[in-house]
Amino acid sequence: MPEALRLAAVPGALAVCRLAPDAPLATWMQTGAISSVTRTADELSVVCAEPVVPQGVRHESGWRALRVAGPLEFSMTGVLAALSIPLAEAGVPIFVVSTFDTDWLLVQADRLDDAALALRTAGHEVE
């Protein structure tokens, strides 16, 4: 497992959306401190700023992001385990987005303080 990791809480509410697998990409999907679009044969999954989600789009709102300080080397192992295990033990659900440089942990806004405490208790730094 990696040594202590640094994370920063990112301002702004996020939403996790689910659309049909053949839904077209739209500009609203690309807003906020982080946006992520993942298409599979079964769905189009979007993470974006909560206020821009169009009415009628199936989504879960009220998420906040914790950004892991990076860049993280691809050879690193156990990064997500080092973060997700303490959160699981604290009963904090997560939604994870990984980019080329780092990982983003999304937690419900009302659990952000619980998440920060669990990560600090596990030896990580949370700003």
Side-chain angles (χ1 to χ4, degrees), residues 5 10-11 13 19 55 60 62 69-70 85-86 88 91 98 101 104 109 122-123 126-127:
L5 296 163
V10 178
L19 293 96
Q55 191 170 8
E60 294 287 330
I85 289 171
S98 294
D101 286 338
W104 297 70
V126 182
E127 299 172 10

Side-chain angles (χ1 to χ4, degrees), residues 52-87:
V52 303
V53 177
Q55 191 170 8
V57 171
R58 180 179 172 192
H59 69 283
E60 294 287 330
S61 59
W63 293 92
R64 291 285 308 276
L66 292 166
R67 181 184 185 278
V68 180
L72 302 175
E73 298 295 326
F74 279 92
S75 61
M76 290 180 72
T77 60
V79 172
L80 289 178
L83 299 171
S84 63
I85 289 171
L87 293 173

Side-chain angles (χ1 to χ4, degrees), residues 15 18-19 30-31 42 63 69 73 83 117 123:
R18 186 200 189 285
L19 293 96
Q30 302 167 31
T31 60
D42 300 318
W63 293 92
E73 298 295 326
L83 299 171
L117 177 61

